[in-house]
Amino acid sequence: MDDEPLEEWAARREERRPVSGERRATPLGEEPEQAAHVAPDAPRGIQEWDGHQWTPVGVAADFQAAASETGEDAASRAERVVLPPFSTLPPSPEPWRPTEVFHRR
């Protein structure tokens, strides 16, 4: 197993963490958090990252109103997501070969 040095892991983690003052919208209610297209007319809570936790700062009537409050922050969050390298395929496996020689009669 290849262990990653703690400093590299901490640097990657810090890149993904929200910036202090960043906002996000979360649906209100008892249901678990869902994507925005599931219930676009449902009210949303606006949360702000204070450096340690997400704290509530307001309520929006629907997804459109919440997006206008958090739009710039959502774009900056998306830019921090590390994407896998494309155009590289994993090595192809070796073809299976029987361990015993098989002769057809």
Coordinates of all heavy atoms in Angstrom, one line a residue:
M1 N 0.8 -1.2 0.0 CA 0.0 0.0 0.0 C 0.9 1.2 0.0 O 1.8 1.3 0.8 CB -0.9 0.0 1.2 CG -1.9 1.1 1.3 SD -3.1 0.8 2.6 CE -2.7 2.1 3.6
D2 N 0.6 2.2 -0.9 CA 1.3 3.4 -0.9 C 0.7 4.4 0.0 O -0.4 4.9 -0.2 CB 1.4 3.9 -2.4 CG 2.1 3.0 -3.3 OD1 3.0 2.3 -2.8 OD2 1.7 3.0 -4.5
D3 N 1.4 4.8 1.0 CA 0.9 5.8 2.0 C 1.3 7.2 1.5 O 2.5 7.4 1.1 CB 1.5 5.6 3.4 CG 0.9 4.4 4.1 OD1 -0.3 4.0 3.6 OD2 1.5 3.9 5.0
E4 N 0.4 8.1 1.5 CA 0.6 9.4 1.1 C 1.2 10.2 2.3 O 0.6 10.1 3.4 CB -0.7 10.1 0.7 CG -0.6 11.5 0.2 CD -2.0 12.0 -0.2 OE1 -3.0 11.4 0.1 OE2 -2.0 13.0 -0.9
P5 N 2.2 11.0 2.1 CA 2.7 11.8 3.3 C 1.6 12.7 3.8 O 0.7 13.2 3.1 CB 3.8 12.6 2.7 CG 4.2 11.9 1.4 CD 3.0 11.2 0.9
L6 N 1.6 12.9 5.1 CA 0.6 13.7 5.8 C 0.5 15.2 5.2 O -0.6 15.7 5.1 CB 0.8 13.7 7.3 CG -0.2 14.5 8.1 CD1 -1.6 13.8 7.9 CD2 0.2 14.4 9.6
E7 N 1.6 15.7 4.9 CA 1.7 17.1 4.4 C 0.9 17.2 3.1 O 0.2 18.2 2.8 CB 3.1 17.6 4.2 CG 3.9 17.7 5.5 CD 4.4 16.4 6.1 OE1 4.6 15.5 5.3 OE2 4.6 16.3 7.3
E8 N 1.1 16.2 2.2 CA 0.4 16.3 0.9 C -1.1 16.1 1.1 O -1.9 16.8 0.5 CB 0.9 15.2 0.0 CG 2.3 15.4 -0.5 CD 2.8 14.3 -1.4 OE1 2.0 13.5 -1.9 OE2 4.1 14.2 -1.6
W9 N -1.5 15.2 2.0 CA -2.9 15.0 2.3 C -3.5 16.2 2.8 O -4.6 16.6 2.4 CB -3.1 13.8 3.2 CG -4.5 13.6 3.7 CD1 -5.5 13.0 3.0 CD2 -5.1 14.2 4.8 NE1 -6.7 13.1 3.7 CE2 -6.4 13.8 4.8 CE3 -4.6 15.0 5.9 CZ2 -7.3 14.2 5.8 CZ3 -5.5 15.3 6.9 CH2 -6.8 15.0 6.9
A10 N -2.8 16.9 3.8 CA -3.4 18.1 4.4 C -3.5 19.2 3.4 O -4.5 20.0 3.4 CB -2.5 18.5 5.5
A11 N -2.6 19.3 2.4 CA -2.6 20.3 1.4 C -3.8 20.1 0.5 O -4.6 21.0 0.1 CB -1.3 20.4 0.6
R12 N -4.1 18.8 0.1 CA -5.2 18.5 -0.8 C -6.5 18.8 0.0 O -7.5 19.3 -0.6 CB -5.2 17.0 -1.2 CG -4.3 16.8 -2.4 CD -4.5 15.4 -2.9 NE -4.5 14.3 -1.9 CZ -5.5 13.6 -1.5 NH1 -6.7 13.9 -1.9 NH2 -5.4 12.7 -0.6
R13 N -6.6 18.4 1.2 CA -7.8 18.7 2.0 C -8.1 20.2 2.2 O -9.2 20.6 2.1 CB -7.6 18.1 3.4 CG -8.8 18.3 4.3 CD -8.6 17.6 5.7 NE -9.7 17.7 6.5 CZ -9.7 18.6 7.5 NH1 -8.7 19.4 7.8 NH2 -10.8 18.7 8.3
E14 N -7.0 20.9 2.4 CA -7.2 22.4 2.5 C -7.7 23.0 1.2 O -8.5 24.0 1.3 CB -5.9 23.0 3.0 CG -6.0 24.4 3.5 CD -6.9 24.5 4.8 OE1 -6.9 23.5 5.6 OE2 -7.6 25.5 4.9
E15 N -7.3 22.5 0.1 CA -7.8 23.0 -1.2 C -9.3 22.8 -1.4 O -10.0 23.6 -2.0 CB -7.0 22.4 -2.4 CG -5.6 22.8 -2.5 CD -4.9 22.0 -3.6 OE1 -5.5 21.1 -4.2 OE2 -3.7 22.3 -3.8
R16 N -9.8 21.7 -0.8 CA -11.2 21.4 -1.0 C -12.1 22.1 0.0 O -13.3 22.1 -0.1 CB -11.4 19.9 -0.9 CG -10.9 19.1 -2.0 CD -11.3 17.7 -2.0 NE -11.2 17.1 -0.7 CZ -10.1 16.3 -0.3 NH1 -9.1 16.1 -1.1 NH2 -10.1 15.8 0.9
R17 N -11.5 22.5 1.1 CA -12.4 23.1 2.2 C -13.0 24.4 1.7 O -12.4 25.2 0.9 CB -11.5 23.4 3.4 CG -11.1 22.1 4.1 CD -10.5 22.3 5.4 NE -11.6 22.8 6.3 CZ -11.5 22.9 7.6 NH1 -10.4 22.5 8.1 NH2 -12.4 23.4 8.3
P18 N -14.1 24.8 2.3 CA -14.8 26.1 1.9 C -14.0 27.2 2.4 O -13.3 27.1 3.4 CB -16.1 26.0 2.5 CG -16.2 24.7 3.3 CD -14.9 24.0 3.1
V19 N -14.1 28.4 1.8 CA -13.5 29.6 2.2 C -14.4 30.3 3.2 O -15.6 30.2 3.1 CB -13.3 30.5 1.0 CG1 -12.6 31.8 1.4 CG2 -12.4 29.8 -0.1
S20 N -13.8 30.9 4.2 CA -14.6 31.6 5.2 C -15.5 32.6 4.5 O -15.1 33.4 3.7 CB -13.7 32.2 6.2 OG -14.5 32.7 7.3
G21 N -16.8 32.6 4.9 CA -17.8 33.5 4.2 C -18.5 32.9 3.0 O -19.4 33.5 2.5
E22 N -18.1 31.7 2.6 CA -18.7 31.1 1.5 C -20.1 30.6 1.8 O -20.4 30.2 3.0 CB -17.9 29.9 1.0 CG -18.4 29.2 -0.2 CD -17.4 28.1 -0.6 OE1 -16.2 28.4 -0.7 OE2 -17.9 27.0 -0.9
R23 N -21.1 30.7 0.9 CA -22.5 30.4 1.2 C -22.9 29.2 0.3 O -22.4 28.9 -0.7 CB -23.4 31.5 0.9 CG -23.2 32.7 1.9 CD -24.2 33.8 1.6 NE -24.1 34.7 2.7 CZ -25.0 35.6 2.9 NH1 -26.1 35.7 2.2 NH2 -24.9 36.4 4.0
R24 N -23.9 28.4 0.9 CA -24.5 27.3 0.1 C -26.0 27.3 0.5 O -26.4 27.8 1.5 CB -23.9 26.0 0.4 CG -24.2 25.5 1.8 CD -23.6 24.1 2.0 NE -24.0 23.6 3.3 CZ -23.6 22.4 3.8 NH1 -22.7 21.7 3.1 NH2 -24.0 22.0 5.0
A25 N -26.8 26.7 -0.4 CA -28.2 26.5 -0.2 C -28.6 25.1 0.1 O -28.1 24.2 -0.6 CB -29.0 27.0 -1.4
T26 N -29.4 24.9 1.1 CA -29.8 23.5 1.4 C -31.3 23.5 1.6 O -31.9 24.4 2.1 CB -29.2 23.0 2.7 OG1 -29.5 23.9 3.8 CG2 -27.7 22.9 2.6
P27 N -32.0 22.4 1.1 CA -33.4 22.4 1.2 C -33.9 22.3 2.7 O -33.2 21.6 3.5 CB -33.8 21.1 0.4 CG -32.6 20.4 0.2 CD -31.4 21.3 0.4
L28 N -35.0 22.9 3.0 CA -35.6 22.8 4.3 C -36.5 21.7 4.4 O -37.2 21.3 3.4 CB -36.3 24.1 4.6 CG -35.4 25.4 4.7 CD1 -36.2 26.6 4.9 CD2 -34.3 25.2 5.7
G29 N -36.7 21.1 5.5 CA -37.6 20.0 5.7 C -36.9 18.8 6.3 O -35.7 18.8 6.6
E30 N -37.7 17.7 6.4 CA -37.2 16.5 7.1 C -36.5 15.6 6.1 O -35.8 14.7 6.5 CB -38.4 15.8 7.7 CG -39.1 16.5 8.8 CD -38.1 16.8 10.0 OE1 -37.3 15.9 10.4 OE2 -38.2 18.0 10.5
E31 N -36.7 15.7 4.8 CA -36.1 14.8 3.8 C -34.6 15.1 3.8 O -34.1 16.1 4.0 CB -36.7 15.1 2.4 CG -38.2 14.7 2.3 CD -39.1 15.9 2.6 OE1 -38.6 17.0 2.5 OE2 -40.2 15.6 3.0
P32 N -33.9 14.0 3.4 CA -32.4 14.2 3.2 C -32.1 15.2 2.1 O -33.0 15.4 1.2 CB -31.9 12.8 2.9 CG -33.1 12.1 2.4 CD -34.3 12.7 3.1
E33 N -30.9 15.8 2.1 CA -30.6 16.7 1.1 C -30.6 16.1 -0.3 O -30.1 15.0 -0.5 CB -29.2 17.3 1.3 CG -28.8 18.5 0.5 CD -27.6 19.2 1.0 OE1 -27.3 19.1 2.1 OE2 -27.0 19.8 0.1
Q34 N -31.3 16.8 -1.3 CA -31.4 16.3 -2.6 C -30.9 17.3 -3.6 O -30.6 18.4 -3.3 CB -32.9 16.0 -2.9 CG -33.5 15.0 -2.0 CD -35.0 14.8 -2.2 OE1 -35.6 15.5 -3.0 NE2 -35.6 13.8 -1.6
A35 N -30.9 16.9 -4.9 CA -30.4 17.8 -5.9 C -31.4 18.9 -6.1 O -32.6 18.8 -5.8 CB -30.2 17.0 -7.2
A36 N -31.0 20.0 -6.8 CA -31.8 21.2 -6.9 C -33.0 20.9 -7.9 O -34.1 21.5 -7.7 CB -31.0 22.3 -7.5
H37 N -32.9 20.0 -8.8 CA -34.0 19.8 -9.8 C -35.1 18.9 -9.2 O -36.2 18.8 -9.8 CB -33.4 19.1 -11.0 CG -33.0 17.7 -10.8 ND1 -31.8 17.3 -10.3 CD2 -33.6 16.5 -11.0 CE1 -31.7 16.0 -10.1 NE2 -32.8 15.5 -10.6
V38 N -34.9 18.3 -8.0 CA -35.9 17.4 -7.4 C -37.1 18.3 -7.0 O -38.3 17.9 -7.3 CB -35.3 16.6 -6.3 CG1 -36.4 15.8 -5.6 CG2 -34.3 15.7 -6.8
A39 N -36.9 19.3 -6.3 CA -38.0 20.2 -5.8 C -37.6 21.6 -5.9 O -37.2 22.3 -4.9 CB -38.3 19.8 -4.3
P40 N -37.6 22.2 -7.1 CA -37.1 23.6 -7.3 C -38.0 24.6 -6.6 O -37.5 25.7 -6.3 CB -37.1 23.8 -8.8 CG -38.1 22.7 -9.4 CD -38.1 21.6 -8.4
D41 N -39.2 24.3 -6.3 CA -40.1 25.3 -5.7 C -40.0 25.2 -4.1 O -40.7 26.0 -3.5 CB -41.5 25.1 -6.1 CG -41.7 25.4 -7.6 OD1 -40.9 26.2 -8.2 OD2 -42.5 24.7 -8.3
A42 N -39.3 24.3 -3.6 CA -39.2 24.1 -2.1 C -38.3 25.2 -1.6 O -37.4 25.7 -2.2 CB -38.7 22.8 -1.8
P43 N -38.7 25.7 -0.3 CA -37.8 26.7 0.3 C -36.4 26.2 0.6 O -36.2 25.0 0.8 CB -38.6 27.1 1.6 CG -39.5 26.0 1.8 CD -39.8 25.3 0.5
R44 N -35.4 27.1 0.6 CA -34.1 26.7 0.8 C -33.5 27.5 2.0 O -33.8 28.7 2.1 CB -33.2 27.0 -0.4 CG -33.6 26.3 -1.7 CD -33.2 24.8 -1.6 NE -33.2 24.3 -2.9 CZ -34.0 23.4 -3.4 NH1 -35.0 23.0 -2.7 NH2 -33.9 22.9 -4.6
G45 N -32.7 26.9 2.8 CA -32.0 27.6 3.8 C -30.6 28.0 3.3 O -30.0 27.3 2.5
I46 N -30.2 29.2 3.6 CA -28.9 29.7 3.2 C -27.9 29.5 4.4 O -28.2 30.0 5.5 CB -28.9 31.2 2.8 CG1 -30.0 31.4 1.7 CG2 -27.6 31.7 2.3 CD1 -29.8 30.7 0.4
Q47 N -26.8 28.9 4.1 CA -25.8 28.6 5.2 C -24.5 29.3 4.8 O -24.2 29.4 3.6 CB -25.6 27.1 5.4 CG -26.8 26.4 5.9 CD -26.5 24.9 6.0 OE1 -25.7 24.4 5.2 NE2 -27.3 24.3 6.8
E48 N -23.8 29.7 5.8 CA -22.5 30.4 5.5 C -21.4 29.7 6.3 O -21.6 29.3 7.5 CB -22.5 31.8 5.9 CG -21.3 32.6 5.5 CD -21.5 34.1 5.8 OE1 -22.4 34.7 5.1 OE2 -20.8 34.7 6.6
W49 N -20.2 29.4 5.7 CA -19.1 28.8 6.4 C -18.4 29.8 7.2 O -17.9 30.9 6.7 CB -18.2 28.2 5.3 CG -17.0 27.5 5.9 CD1 -15.7 27.9 5.9 CD2 -17.1 26.2 6.5 NE1 -14.9 26.9 6.5 CE2 -15.7 25.8 6.9 CE3 -18.1 25.2 6.8 CZ2 -15.4 24.7 7.5 CZ3 -17.7 24.1 7.4 CH2 -16.4 23.8 7.8
D50 N -18.3 29.6 8.5 CA -17.6 30.5 9.4 C -16.1 30.1 9.7 O -15.5 30.7 10.5 CB -18.4 30.7 10.7 CG -18.4 29.5 11.5 OD1 -17.8 28.4 11.1 OD2 -19.0 29.5 12.6
G51 N -15.6 29.2 9.0 CA -14.3 28.7 9.2 C -14.2 27.4 9.9 O -13.2 26.7 9.9
H52 N -15.3 27.0 10.6 CA -15.4 25.8 11.4 C -16.6 25.0 11.1 O -16.6 23.8 11.2 CB -15.3 26.1 12.9 CG -14.1 26.8 13.3 ND1 -12.8 26.2 13.3 CD2 -13.9 28.1 13.6 CE1 -11.9 27.0 13.7 NE2 -12.5 28.2 13.9
Q53 N -17.7 25.6 10.7 CA -19.0 24.9 10.5 C -19.9 25.8 9.6 O -19.7 27.0 9.5 CB -19.7 24.6 11.8 CG -20.1 25.9 12.6 CD -20.7 25.6 13.9 OE1 -20.9 24.4 14.3 NE2 -21.0 26.6 14.7
W54 N -20.9 25.2 9.1 CA -21.9 25.9 8.3 C -23.0 26.4 9.3 O -23.6 25.7 10.0 CB -22.6 24.9 7.3 CG -21.7 24.5 6.2 CD1 -21.1 23.3 6.1 CD2 -21.4 25.2 5.1 NE1 -20.3 23.3 4.9 CE2 -20.5 24.4 4.3 CE3 -21.7 26.5 4.6 CZ2 -20.0 24.9 3.1 CZ3 -21.1 26.9 3.4 CH2 -20.3 26.1 2.7
T55 N -23.2 27.7 9.3 CA -24.2 28.4 10.1 C -25.3 29.0 9.3 O -25.1 29.5 8.2 CB -23.5 29.5 11.0 OG1 -22.9 30.4 10.1 CG2 -22.5 28.9 11.9
P56 N -26.6 28.9 9.8 CA -27.7 29.4 9.0 C -27.6 31.0 9.0 O -27.4 31.6 10.0 CB -28.9 28.9 9.7 CG -28.4 28.5 11.0 CD -27.0 28.2 10.9
V57 N -27.9 31.6 7.8 CA -27.9 33.0 7.8 C -29.2 33.6 7.1 O -29.4 34.8 7.2 CB -26.7 33.6 7.0 CG1 -25.4 33.3 7.7 CG2 -26.6 33.0 5.6
G58 N -30.0 32.7 6.5 CA -31.2 33.2 5.9 C -32.0 32.0 5.3 O -31.6 30.9 5.3
V59 N -33.2 32.5 4.7 CA -34.1 31.5 4.0 C -34.4 32.1 2.7 O -34.7 33.3 2.6 CB -35.3 31.3 4.8 CG1 -36.3 30.4 4.1 CG2 -35.0 30.7 6.2
A60 N -34.5 31.3 1.6 CA -34.9 31.7 0.3 C -36.2 31.0 -0.1 O -36.4 29.9 0.4 CB -33.8 31.4 -0.7
A61 N -37.0 31.6 -0.8 CA -38.4 31.1 -1.2 C -38.3 29.8 -2.0 O -39.1 28.9 -1.9 CB -39.2 32.1 -1.8
D62 N -37.3 29.8 -3.0 CA -37.2 28.7 -3.9 C -35.7 28.6 -4.3 O -34.9 29.3 -3.9 CB -38.1 28.8 -5.1 CG -37.9 30.1 -5.8 OD1 -37.0 30.8 -5.6 OD2 -38.7 30.3 -6.8
F63 N -35.5 27.6 -5.2 CA -34.1 27.4 -5.7 C -33.6 28.6 -6.5 O -32.4 29.0 -6.3 CB -34.0 26.2 -6.6 CG -32.7 26.0 -7.2 CD1 -31.6 25.6 -6.4 CD2 -32.4 26.2 -8.5 CE1 -30.4 25.4 -6.9 CE2 -31.2 26.1 -9.1 CZ -30.1 25.6 -8.3
Q64 N -34.4 29.3 -7.3 CA -33.9 30.4 -8.0 C -33.4 31.5 -7.1 O -32.4 32.1 -7.3 CB -35.0 31.0 -8.9 CG -35.2 30.1 -10.2 CD -34.0 30.0 -11.0 OE1 -33.3 29.0 -11.1 NE2 -33.6 31.1 -11.7
A65 N -34.2 31.8 -6.1 CA -33.8 32.8 -5.1 C -32.5 32.4 -4.4 O -31.6 33.3 -4.1 CB -34.9 33.1 -4.1
A66 N -32.4 31.2 -4.0 CA -31.2 30.7 -3.3 C -30.0 30.8 -4.2 O -28.9 31.1 -3.8 CB -31.4 29.3 -2.8
A67 N -30.2 30.4 -5.5 CA -29.1 30.5 -6.5 C -28.5 31.9 -6.6 O -27.3 32.1 -6.8 CB -29.5 29.9 -7.8
S68 N -29.4 32.9 -6.6 CA -29.0 34.3 -6.7 C -28.2 34.7 -5.5 O -27.3 35.5 -5.6 CB -30.2 35.2 -6.9 OG -31.0 35.2 -5.8
E69 N -28.4 34.1 -4.4 CA -27.7 34.4 -3.1 C -26.3 33.7 -3.1 O -25.4 34.2 -2.6 CB -28.5 34.0 -1.9 CG -29.6 34.9 -1.5 CD -29.0 36.2 -1.0 OE1 -28.0 36.2 -0.2 OE2 -29.6 37.3 -1.4
T70 N -26.2 32.5 -3.7 CA -25.0 31.7 -3.5 C -24.3 31.4 -4.9 O -23.4 30.6 -4.9 CB -25.4 30.3 -2.9 OG1 -26.3 29.6 -3.7 CG2 -26.0 30.5 -1.5
G71 N -24.8 32.0 -6.0 CA -24.3 31.7 -7.3 C -22.8 31.8 -7.4 O -22.1 30.9 -8.0
E72 N -22.2 32.9 -7.0 CA -20.7 33.0 -7.1 C -20.0 32.0 -6.3 O -18.9 31.5 -6.7 CB -20.3 34.4 -6.7 CG -20.9 35.5 -7.6 CD -20.6 36.9 -7.1 OE1 -19.9 37.0 -6.1 OE2 -21.1 37.8 -7.7
D73 N -20.5 31.7 -5.1 CA -19.8 30.8 -4.2 C -19.9 29.4 -4.8 O -18.9 28.6 -4.7 CB -20.4 30.8 -2.8 CG -20.2 32.1 -2.1 OD1 -19.2 32.7 -2.4 OD2 -21.0 32.4 -1.3
A74 N -21.0 29.0 -5.5 CA -21.1 27.7 -6.1 C -20.1 27.5 -7.2 O -19.5 26.4 -7.3 CB -22.6 27.5 -6.6
A75 N -19.9 28.5 -8.0 CA -18.9 28.4 -9.1 C -17.5 28.3 -8.5 O -16.7 27.5 -9.0 CB -19.0 29.7 -9.9
S76 N -17.2 29.0 -7.4 CA -15.8 28.8 -6.9 C -15.7 27.4 -6.3 O -14.6 26.9 -6.3 CB -15.6 29.9 -5.9 OG -16.4 29.7 -4.7
R77 N -16.7 26.9 -5.7 CA -16.6 25.5 -5.1 C -16.4 24.5 -6.2 O -15.6 23.6 -6.1 CB -17.9 25.2 -4.4 CG -17.9 25.5 -2.9 CD -19.0 24.8 -2.2 NE -20.3 24.8 -2.8 CZ -21.2 25.8 -2.7 NH1 -21.0 26.8 -2.0 NH2 -22.4 25.7 -3.3
A78 N -17.1 24.7 -7.4 CA -16.9 23.8 -8.5 C -15.5 23.8 -9.0 O -15.0 22.8 -9.5 CB -17.9 24.1 -9.6
E79 N -14.9 25.0 -9.0 CA -13.5 25.1 -9.5 C -12.5 24.3 -8.7 O -11.4 24.0 -9.1 CB -13.1 26.5 -9.7 CG -13.9 27.2 -10.8 CD -13.6 28.7 -10.8 OE1 -12.9 29.2 -9.9 OE2 -14.2 29.4 -11.6
R80 N -12.8 24.1 -7.4 CA -11.9 23.5 -6.5 C -11.9 22.0 -6.5 O -11.1 21.3 -6.0 CB -12.2 23.9 -5.0 CG -11.7 25.3 -4.7 CD -11.7 25.5 -3.2 NE -12.9 25.2 -2.5 CZ -13.9 26.0 -2.2 NH1 -13.8 27.3 -2.5 NH2 -14.9 25.6 -1.5
V81 N -12.9 21.4 -7.2 CA -13.0 20.0 -7.3 C -12.0 19.4 -8.2 O -11.8 19.9 -9.4 CB -14.4 19.6 -7.9 CG1 -14.5 18.1 -8.1 CG2 -15.5 20.0 -6.9
V82 N -11.2 18.5 -7.7 CA -10.2 17.9 -8.5 C -10.7 16.8 -9.4 O -11.4 15.9 -8.9 CB -9.1 17.2 -7.6 CG1 -8.0 16.6 -8.4 CG2 -8.5 18.3 -6.7
L83 N -10.5 16.9 -10.7 CA -11.1 15.9 -11.7 C -10.0 14.9 -12.0 O -8.8 15.2 -12.0 CB -11.5 16.7 -12.9 CG -12.7 17.6 -12.8 CD1 -12.9 18.4 -14.1 CD2 -13.9 16.9 -12.3
P84 N -10.4 13.7 -12.3 CA -9.4 12.7 -12.7 C -8.8 13.0 -14.0 O -9.4 13.7 -14.9 CB -10.2 11.4 -12.7 CG -11.6 11.8 -13.0 CD -11.7 13.2 -12.3
P85 N -7.6 12.6 -14.3 CA -7.0 12.9 -15.6 C -7.7 12.1 -16.7 O -8.0 10.9 -16.5 CB -5.5 12.4 -15.5 CG -5.6 11.4 -14.3 CD -6.7 11.9 -13.4
F86 N -8.1 12.7 -17.8 CA -8.7 12.1 -18.9 C -7.7 11.6 -19.9 O -6.6 12.0 -19.9 CB -9.8 13.0 -19.5 CG -10.9 13.2 -18.5 CD1 -11.1 14.4 -17.9 CD2 -11.9 12.2 -18.3 CE1 -12.1 14.7 -17.0 CE2 -12.9 12.4 -17.4 CZ -13.1 13.7 -16.8
S87 N -8.2 10.8 -20.8 CA -7.4 10.3 -22.0 C -6.3 9.3 -21.5 O -5.4 9.1 -22.2 CB -6.8 11.4 -22.8 OG -5.7 12.0 -22.2
T88 N -6.4 8.9 -20.3 CA -5.5 7.8 -19.8 C -6.3 6.6 -19.4 O -7.2 6.7 -18.6 CB -4.6 8.3 -18.7 OG1 -5.5 8.7 -17.6 CG2 -3.7 9.5 -19.1
L89 N -6.1 5.5 -20.0 CA -6.8 4.3 -19.6 C -6.0 3.4 -18.7 O -4.7 3.5 -18.8 CB -7.2 3.5 -20.9 CG -8.1 4.2 -21.9 CD1 -8.3 3.4 -23.1 CD2 -9.5 4.4 -21.2
P90 N -6.6 2.7 -17.9 CA -5.8 1.7 -17.1 C -5.2 0.7 -18.0 O -5.6 0.4 -19.1 CB -6.8 1.1 -16.1 CG -8.1 1.3 -16.8 CD -8.0 2.6 -17.6
P91 N -4.1 0.1 -17.5 CA -3.4 -1.0 -18.4 C -4.4 -2.1 -18.6 O -5.2 -2.5 -17.7 CB -2.2 -1.4 -17.5 CG -2.5 -0.9 -16.2 CD -3.4 0.2 -16.2
S92 N -4.3 -2.7 -19.8 CA -5.2 -3.8 -20.1 C -4.7 -5.1 -19.4 O -3.5 -5.3 -19.3 CB -5.3 -4.0 -21.6 OG -4.0 -4.3 -22.1
P93 N -5.6 -5.9 -18.9 CA -5.2 -7.1 -18.3 C -4.6 -8.1 -19.2 O -4.9 -8.1 -20.4 CB -6.5 -7.7 -17.6 CG -7.5 -7.1 -18.5 CD -7.0 -5.8 -19.0
E94 N -3.7 -8.9 -18.7 CA -3.2 -10.0 -19.6 C -4.3 -11.0 -20.0 O -5.2 -11.3 -19.2 CB -2.1 -10.7 -18.8 CG -0.8 -9.9 -18.6 CD -0.1 -9.6 -19.9 OE1 0.0 -10.5 -20.8 OE2 0.3 -8.5 -20.1
P95 N -4.3 -11.5 -21.2 CA -5.3 -12.5 -21.5 C -5.2 -13.8 -20.7 O -4.1 -14.2 -20.3 CB -5.0 -12.8 -23.0 CG -3.6 -12.3 -23.3 CD -3.3 -11.3 -22.3
W96 N -6.3 -14.4 -20.5 CA -6.3 -15.6 -19.7 C -5.8 -16.8 -20.5 O -6.1 -17.0 -21.6 CB -7.7 -15.9 -19.2 CG -7.8 -17.1 -18.4 CD1 -7.4 -17.2 -17.0 CD2 -8.1 -18.4 -18.8 NE1 -7.6 -18.5 -16.6 CE2 -8.0 -19.3 -17.7 CE3 -8.5 -19.0 -20.0 CZ2 -8.3 -20.7 -17.7 CZ3 -8.8 -20.4 -20.0 CH2 -8.7 -21.2 -18.9
R97 N -4.9 -17.5 -19.9 CA -4.3 -18.7 -20.6 C -4.4 -19.8 -19.6 O -4.0 -19.7 -18.4 CB -2.9 -18.5 -21.0 CG -2.8 -17.4 -22.1 CD -1.3 -17.4 -22.6 NE -1.2 -16.6 -23.8 CZ -1.1 -15.2 -23.8 NH1 -1.1 -14.6 -22.6 NH2 -1.0 -14.6 -24.9
P98 N -4.9 -21.0 -20.0 CA -5.0 -22.1 -19.1 C -3.7 -22.6 -18.6 O -2.6 -22.4 -19.3 CB -5.7 -23.2 -19.9 CG -5.6 -22.8 -21.3 CD -5.4 -21.3 -21.3
T99 N -3.6 -23.1 -17.4 CA -2.3 -23.6 -16.9 C -1.9 -24.9 -17.4 O -0.7 -25.2 -17.4 CB -2.4 -23.7 -15.3 OG1 -3.5 -24.5 -15.0 CG2 -2.6 -22.3 -14.7
E100 N -2.9 -25.7 -17.9 CA -2.6 -27.0 -18.5 C -2.8 -26.9 -20.0 O -3.7 -26.2 -20.5 CB -3.5 -28.1 -17.9 CG -3.2 -28.3 -16.5 CD -4.2 -29.4 -15.9 OE1 -4.7 -30.1 -16.8 OE2 -4.3 -29.5 -14.7
V101 N -2.0 -27.6 -20.8 CA -2.1 -27.6 -22.2 C -3.3 -28.5 -22.5 O -3.4 -29.6 -22.0 CB -0.8 -28.2 -22.9 CG1 -1.0 -28.2 -24.4 CG2 0.4 -27.3 -22.5
F102 N -4.2 -28.0 -23.4 CA -5.4 -28.7 -23.7 C -5.3 -29.1 -25.2 O -5.1 -28.3 -26.0 CB -6.6 -27.8 -23.5 CG -7.9 -28.5 -23.8 CD1 -8.5 -29.4 -23.0 CD2 -8.6 -28.1 -25.0 CE1 -9.7 -30.0 -23.4 CE2 -9.8 -28.7 -25.4 CZ -10.3 -29.7 -24.5
H103 N -5.5 -30.4 -25.5 CA -5.5 -30.9 -26.8 C -6.8 -31.5 -27.1 O -7.3 -32.3 -26.4 CB -4.4 -31.9 -27.0 CG -3.0 -31.4 -26.8 ND1 -2.4 -30.6 -27.7 CD2 -2.1 -31.6 -25.8 CE1 -1.2 -30.3 -27.3 NE2 -1.0 -30.8 -26.1
R104 N -7.4 -31.1 -28.2 CA -8.7 -31.6 -28.6 C -8.4 -32.9 -29.4 O -7.6 -33.0 -30.2 CB -9.4 -30.6 -29.5 CG -10.8 -31.1 -29.9 CD -11.4 -30.0 -30.6 NE -11.7 -28.9 -29.7 CZ -12.7 -28.0 -29.9 NH1 -13.3 -28.0 -31.0 NH2 -12.9 -27.1 -29.0
R105 N -9.2 -34.0 -29.1 CA -9.0 -35.2 -29.8 C -10.1 -35.5 -30.9 O -11.1 -35.1 -31.0 CB -9.1 -36.4 -28.8 CG -7.9 -36.3 -27.9 CD -8.0 -37.5 -27.0 NE -7.0 -37.3 -26.0 CZ -6.5 -38.3 -25.3 NH1 -6.9 -39.5 -25.5 NH2 -5.6 -38.1 -24.4

